[in-house]
Every structure is written in structure tokens, then in C-alpha cells.
Amino acid sequence: MERVKKVGIIGAGHVGSTLAFILSATTPYEIVLQDKDKDRARGMLLDMFQASCIGVNFTKLGVIASPKDLQGCDVVVITAGSPRLPGMSRSDLLFANAKVVGEISNHIKENAPEAIVVLVTNPLDAMVYTALRETGFNPRQILGMAGVLDSARMASFIFDKIRCAQGQIVAPVMGGHGDDMVPLPRFSTVNGVPLSELLSQEEIDEIIKRTKNAGAEIVSCLKNGSAYFAPAKATAEVVRAIMSDSHKILPCATFLQGEYGYTNVVAGVPVELGINGVEKIVELKLNEVEKKQFDKSIQSVLILINELNKNYF
């Protein structure tokens, strides 16, 4: 039984608007959309509303004109923020988007304090940490989407090799959403068959490398822009899992409090999602190689978190 009915989406760029369209086409939820360009948000929603009148679905859509319009939202997705521009350092991007996420987080705290918050803005793990610091919410109330996206990308590259029936591939990815993410071929299966039984180590290594570089590969093809269809659909999967209280296990960025031996850091791990957000963190039994890879990823995230603590908060 579904308890929640209203989703707020902050940021009407490619990811935010595509997410709004996916949800409007596939769910009965009320959707409200915000963008710094209010006319853009209004135009996007008019187009989506007219699309919802084709066929039998009918979706309630609205523009967030002020922070008070967040009231009643049970899930709020934050996609707003700047991409990394030429001449911008990683620290520049970190602080610029921390400012954006911080302001939005305070609006959520004031107007929708019970909402589950899903972060999409990069650098993702650091932005989850920022939202936690700004709101003071229960850590299980705020999470980041990227593990679902990274796992989908890995699954797509496995599919390229095997060409199996759709929906048979499980390909978990852990760690931070960046170059040091940790694809887990040992836990990957195709209809229950271990990946190592289907592909050579050379092929598996190729999949791992391509998974880590998947975003950059798309950027290099587009020349001017980045991925948004897969990020939007991955976010929709997370939202639906929460809204329906599914208790579905998905890889998401969450605040660790002793799990996997780490505290006070955000990282992508398998979590059970429900109406309370992260209902449970699932701890996989990693081998020594996987533990070292996960630790390297954690250290990369900690660099960003420490930079925020030193120079931002």
C-alpha cells in the first residue's frame, strides 16, 4: 500500500525534466518541479501535462514558485547544480554545488522536514554529506542515486558481451560515484549464473574499465553535454522503491555509521529502500581485494568531505 503521493524535483535541466516526465508517464504521483528559470519549469510541465492527456493516464503537475510549495512532499529529488566547466577545479565545483544543495536543503528542512531526500547533484557523495550537515536529518532520510546508474551501466556492458534476455543481469557497483567506484564482478550474475562462468577475465576487466569510464564515454560522444536518460531512469527507480515501500535492495549512496568498518563518510552500498528512506544497509562479505578497492574509493570521498569541513562548513 502506498503512503506517499507527492514528489518534488528541484532542477528542471535534462535530468530533472526527464525524471519528471518518466514519473508522470508511469506513476499516479503528484509532481512539482522547480528551476531557477521559472518559465522553463512552467513550459516543461505544460508539455508533460499535455502528454499525460494522451491515453488513459492523467498526472497532477505543478511549478514550485516558492519554498513553501515543497510542503506535503514525501520525496524531494535534488538535481540542481553546476556541471564542471572549463577552467573549474574539482574544489570549485564542490563548493559551488555545496552552496546550491545547502540552500535547497534548508528549504526542505523548513517546509518538508519529513521528506526523503534523493541527491543526484555531483560530486554526489559529498552532496549527500552536505545535505545531511545542512538539515540535521536522520542519515537514513537522505541518500544518493548513483549506484543504480553505475550498476545499470555495468549491466549494459555485460549485455553487450552476452546478449541474454533483458532483466536477467545483476551487476552491483559500490563505493563513491567517481573514478574509484568498485564494480563487483564476483557478485554479478546472469539469471543466477556467475559472470566468471560466462566471460573470460579479460572480458570482465574490460567491462570494469568501461563501467568506470561510462560517463566520460558519453560526454566524449556528445561533445557538449552529459548523460541524462539513464540518470533520470535510475532516479525514478529509487523514487518508486521509496514511494511504494517496496523494501527493494538497490545500491545507493548513504551515510555509514560503522557498516563495512567506516563511520562519518558517505559511500554507495546496497540498501533496502522503503517509506523511511534507507530501511537497512546490506553488508556484503567482501574479499581482501574488494576491501582494498572499497577503501580506496572511501578515501577519495573523504578528501572531498574533509575539504568541505575545512573550507565550507
Side-chain angles (χ1 to χ4, degrees):
M1 184 177 72
E2 295 184 355
R3 176 184 68 87
V4 289
K5 295 297 179 185
K6 185 177 179 182
V7 180
I9 301 170
I10 314 297
H14 286 316
V15 175
S17 57
T18 303
L19 169 63
F21 179 69
I22 291 171
L23 292 176
S24 70
T26 60
T27 72
Y29 313 135
E30 177 184 355
I31 298 163
V32 289
L33 181 65
Q34 181 184 44
D35 194 80
K36 60 184 179 181
D37 183 343
K38 292 181 181 179
D39 287 338
R40 174 182 173 83
R42 186 173 293 106
M44 289 286 184
L45 287 177
L46 281 170
D47 194 11
M48 287 179 222
F49 178 70
Q50 290 158 16
S52 76
C53 292
I54 300 171
V56 297
N57 290 332
F58 186 85
T59 304
K60 186 176 181 180
L61 300 154
V63 173
I64 299 173
S66 78
K68 289 185 178 180
D69 293 329
L70 289 169
Q71 292 176 2
C73 284
D74 295 281
V75 174
V76 179
V77 180
I78 303 175
T79 71
S82 301
R84 187 169 175 177
L85 303 173
M88 181 181 283
S89 70
R90 183 176 62 178
S91 294
D92 290 336
L93 178 66
L94 176 68
F95 297 139
N97 282 348
K99 183 177 180 181
V100 172
V101 168
E103 182 178 352
I104 294 167
S105 297
N106 280 300
H107 290 162
I108 296 170
K109 181 179 180 179
E110 292 169 9
N111 297 284
E114 301 300 319
I116 307 303
V117 183
V118 179
L119 272 295
V120 182
T121 305
N122 281 317
L124 182 92
D125 307 276
M127 293 304 100
V128 172
Y129 182 82
T130 299
L132 283 167
R133 282 290 303 269
E134 294 285 4
T135 61
F137 284 178
N138 185 317
R140 299 297 173 254
Q141 198 175 339
I142 300 179
L143 60 140
M145 169 281 298
V148 179
L149 171 62
D150 295 330
S151 295
R153 286 170 166 169
M154 185 175 178
S156 75
F157 301 139
I158 293 172
F159 180 83
D160 276 348
K161 297 287 187 184
I162 297 175
R163 295 292 173 178
C164 59
Q166 291 183 348
Q168 292 187 319
I169 301 172
V170 174
V173 177
M174 286 178 53
H177 182 55
D179 296 340
D180 293 323
M181 68 177 71
V182 186
L184 293 172
R186 191 168 66 89
F187 291 91
S188 300
T189 61
V190 179
N191 197 23
V193 179
L195 193 61
S196 59
E197 298 291 324
L198 300 168
L199 296 174
S200 67
Q201 188 59 52
E202 183 179 357
E203 289 173 315
I204 292 172
D205 290 342
E206 181 185 339
I207 287 168
I208 292 171
K209 182 178 179 180
R210 199 173 175 197
T211 299
K212 291 184 176 184
N213 296 317
E217 182 179 353
I218 292 171
V219 170
S220 69
C221 293
L222 295 177
K223 311 299 182 188
N224 183 23
S226 57
Y228 56 92
F229 290 124
K233 191 169 184 182
T235 308
E237 181 77 356
V238 171
V239 170
R240 283 192 293 253
I242 295 167
M243 298 282 269
S244 62
D245 195 24
S246 69
H247 290 260
K248 189 171 186 177
I249 295 174
L250 294 171
C252 295
T254 191
F255 191 68
L256 300 182
Q257 299 171 292
E259 297 86 2
Y260 292 93
Y262 296 94
T263 58
N264 299 322
V265 67
V266 174
V269 294
V271 301
E272 186 180 307
L273 294 178
I275 58 172
N276 299 306
V278 176
E279 302 282 358
K280 179 182 178 182
I281 293 176
V282 178
E283 294 193 61
L284 301 178
K285 293 182 179 179
L286 304 179
N287 62 29
E288 290 306 311
V289 172
E290 292 159 349
K291 286 179 181 178
K292 288 180 180 179
Q293 292 172 342
F294 188 59
D295 182 71
K296 183 180 178 182
S297 188
I298 289 285
Q299 299 310 316
S300 295
V301 175
L302 278 172
I303 289 172
L304 299 179
I305 288 176
N306 291 337
E307 201 163 346
L308 284 171
N309 286 331
K310 182 179 179 180
N311 299 307
Y312 181 77
F313 291 114

